Amino acid sequence: MQAVRRPITLVLAGGLALQLVLAALPTFHPDADLFRAWGETLARVGPDGFYHVRMFHAYAPGYMYFLWLLGSLDRAFGFSSAQWDYALKLPSIAADLGSAYLLYRLLAGQRPRWRVGAAALYLLFPATLLIGPVWGQNDGVLAFFLLLAVYFLAKDRPVLAALAFTAGFVVKPQAIAALPFLVFWVVRDHPPNWKRVRAGLRVPVPPATWIRTIGSSLVLGLVVSFPFFPSLLLWRPLVGLFDQARNATNAFRINSWFAFNFWYLLGKDTADRCDSTACVNPTKSHVTYLTHGEHFFGVSTRLWGFFLFAVALASVIVVLRRARGPAFLALGTSLSILSFYVFTTRMHERYLFPFFLPFLTACVFLKSRVLWAAFAVLGAAHFLNLYLVYTHAGDNALRYQRLYGWLLSANLWGTGIETAQALSAIVVAGLFVLVLTAWRLAAGPDTA
């Protein structure tokens, strides 16, 4: 047992050492300065007064607990700016290590070299190294909780899966992208026992299990939200949680905020009009604050985004409706996130990152060359997207001018196409290729 565990221990130790070294690089100060302000405010007014302070609030309460802790330590010991910047990167580093180990555990039954190699690949994945230990963002925390939900569902533990998903949601509500597919998976495999059971399905779950699954999620959401929205009426904290999630999305009334997706691909002049609240310096380069206005062919772009996401999500569910096992569970979860990123509006470049962890899981299980090629291509496109934003609006010391200039090019290799739009086309095409590939793999003999 010790000999088996030693390689993964070395991988985790090496990953930790690497990320701690990279954490000394300059952070993304537009985000870090905001996190620091939130932490200092939480330490001063407490969680119950935080959302009443007149300042920008764009996060759900889950991540605020860590910022509250940092703010309290700062009041006690007085952090320097460098210490604040470094400390803000620690949750992502911890989440990345947890994700690598969880990936190793979820791949039980695969060859040891595949399991250890997958964990090492995730820790060395360029986007992982940039978004957490360098940038200082917490999208890796959401990735961990989503994979944890997949892990528990694969172990047939729906209550624990629901708790893991809820924990991810209260940190980053973008977790909602995977919820419809996860609910489909549970309902299909474990229909409530008052429903007729189709041939081939498992024994239905007793009502008590459904009550525990839904109730545990509500209780966890209530416990996390209550200090921020205290009330004797116990539904009020949950209402406050969802209101805050809605307000956070309304804070960025822009179709694509640097995100290389369907809306970036269309270009900023394709909509009927430009909302003046969203157009910041519209005469500058398209990478400044990209917007397409509020309507497209007379219909709200947000409604277009929801509709296209619903179509893509329905396609994923139809394709995987009979597939079984952790491989297709992970694949469906990742495709749900990719669909959400590609089609919905008010999208940030970082929101694609949680796609890669469950997708890597599917790659190892299914060993499809198409999946591995997509992992490499989409991973490169995502890293370039992150790098562009990090060096454009953040630290310029790490800017490699030739690469940066290439990313800003409006005439890629003389084609008249913007580099960013070409990368967006790759991401959008990747979704269609992966759905078709999932269809082919799910129709194979090893879907049970």
Side-chain angles (χ1 to χ4, degrees):
M1 181 65 69
Q2 184 177 4
V4 175
R5 288 185 175 179
R6 186 180 178 187
I8 187 61
T9 302
L10 292 176
V11 166
L12 294 176
L16 174 61
L18 175 61
Q19 294 211 5
L20 290 177
V21 170
L22 291 177
L25 291 174
T27 188
F28 187 78
H29 277 286
D31 287 346
D33 293 346
L34 188 60
F35 292 160
R36 178 175 179 176
W38 288 345
E40 292 171 344
T41 302
L42 281 164
R44 187 178 74 253
V45 304
D48 58 328
F50 174 71
Y51 288 113
H52 297 290
V53 176
R54 294 181 62 86
M55 64 184 305
F56 178 70
H57 308 103
Y59 272 55
Y63 187 61
M64 296 302 172
Y65 281 94
F66 173 71
L67 298 181
W68 185 14
L69 172 63
L70 281 190
S72 300
L73 292 175
D74 175 51
R75 285 175 69 89
F77 301 105
F79 287 171
S80 65
S81 295
Q83 288 170 329
W84 262 104
D85 291 346
Y86 198 91
L88 287 169
K89 301 176 180 183
L90 297 180
S92 290
I93 293 175
D96 290 342
L97 294 174
S99 294
Y101 182 68
L102 185 59
L103 179 63
Y104 173 82
R105 292 289 302 272
L106 183 56
L107 294 173
Q110 300 292 305
R111 292 182 179 180
R113 64 181 182 181
W114 279 98
R115 300 173 67 192
V116 176
L121 177 59
Y122 184 72
L123 290 176
L124 295 174
F125 189 50
T128 302
L129 297 176
L130 177 56
I131 207 167
V134 178
W135 188 311
Q137 262 292 353
N138 60 358
D139 299 85
V141 178
L142 174 57
F144 168 78
F145 282 119
L146 286 176
L147 190 66
L148 187 61
V150 169
Y151 175 83
F152 284 130
L153 274 187
K155 299 294 183 182
D156 204 18
R157 306 289 294 275
V159 174
L160 293 178
L163 288 173
F165 176 85
T166 304
F169 178 84
V170 298
V171 172
K172 294 192 78 69
Q174 291 79 23
I176 199 71
L179 181 60
F181 180 80
L182 296 176
V183 169
F184 153 76
W185 193 273
V186 174
V187 171
R188 183 203 62 183
D189 284 359
H190 301 290
N193 65 357
W194 58 81
K195 300 284 189 180
R196 294 185 60 186
V197 183
R198 291 185 178 181
L201 292 181
R202 300 179 187 176
V203 177
V205 175
T209 302
W210 283 93
I211 294 173
R212 289 198 301 270
T213 300
I214 298 173
S216 60
S217 294
L218 293 175
V219 169
L220 179 57
L222 175 63
V223 169
V224 172
S225 304
F226 186 85
F228 290 87
F229 310 103
S231 174
L232 295 177
L233 304 176
L234 295 183
W235 66 84
R236 290 283 181 83
L238 294 176
V239 172
L241 170 63
F242 286 101
D243 282 346
Q244 174 56 28
R246 182 188 60 196
N247 293 337
T249 60
N250 288 336
F252 300 100
R253 301 183 64 180
I254 295 177
N255 294 333
S256 174
W257 190 285
F258 289 100
F260 291 171
N261 63 2
F262 172 77
W263 296 103
Y264 210 130
L265 174 62
L266 289 186
K268 64 183 177 182
D269 297 326
T270 57
D272 297 338
R273 71 183 183 86
C274 182
D275 181 358
S276 60
T277 63
C279 293
V280 181
N281 298 326
T283 59
K284 290 188 178 181
S285 169
H286 66 282
V287 300
T288 305
Y289 287 102
L290 188 70
T291 180
H292 310 291
E294 288 190 327
H295 296 84
F296 187 61
F297 289 114
V299 178
S300 165
T301 54
R302 198 174 193 195
L303 289 180
W304 273 112
F306 287 146
F307 170 73
L308 293 172
F309 168 61
V311 171
L313 184 60
S315 301
V316 172
I317 291 175
V318 169
V319 164
L320 298 179
R321 65 190 184 280
R322 294 190 180 92
R324 297 290 193 277
F328 291 102
L329 173 59
L331 180 60
T333 302
S334 63
L335 290 181
S336 300
I337 299 167
L338 180 58
S339 301
F340 184 77
Y341 174 83
V342 166
F343 289 122
T344 60
T345 60
R346 307 181 184 189
M347 189 58 55
H348 288 240
E349 74 291 326
R350 294 177 287 101
Y351 295 173
L352 179 59
F353 180 76
F355 154 81
F356 291 98
L357 183 57
F359 188 66
L360 176 58
T361 305
C363 288
V364 176
F365 270 122
L366 297 171
K367 298 178 177 60
S368 163
R369 292 183 179 179
V370 176
L371 295 186
W372 279 113
F375 182 85
V377 172
L378 293 178
H382 184 51
F383 174 77
L384 292 173
N385 197 174
L386 295 174
Y387 179 81
L388 172 62
V389 179
Y390 175 79
T391 55
H392 178 75
D395 183 76
N396 295 330
L398 299 181
R399 179 187 296 176
Y400 178 55
Q401 196 59 44
R402 289 189 65 181
L403 175 60
Y404 181 74
W406 180 77
L407 289 171
L408 292 182
S409 174
N411 187 24
L412 176 63
W413 298 323
T415 61
I417 301 173
E418 296 175 357
T419 303
Q421 288 183 304
L423 293 172
S424 301
I426 290 173
V427 174
V428 174
L431 173 61
F432 288 94
V433 170
L434 289 177
V435 172
L436 291 174
T437 302
W439 185 18
R440 177 180 61 80
L441 292 172
D446 299 325
T447 60

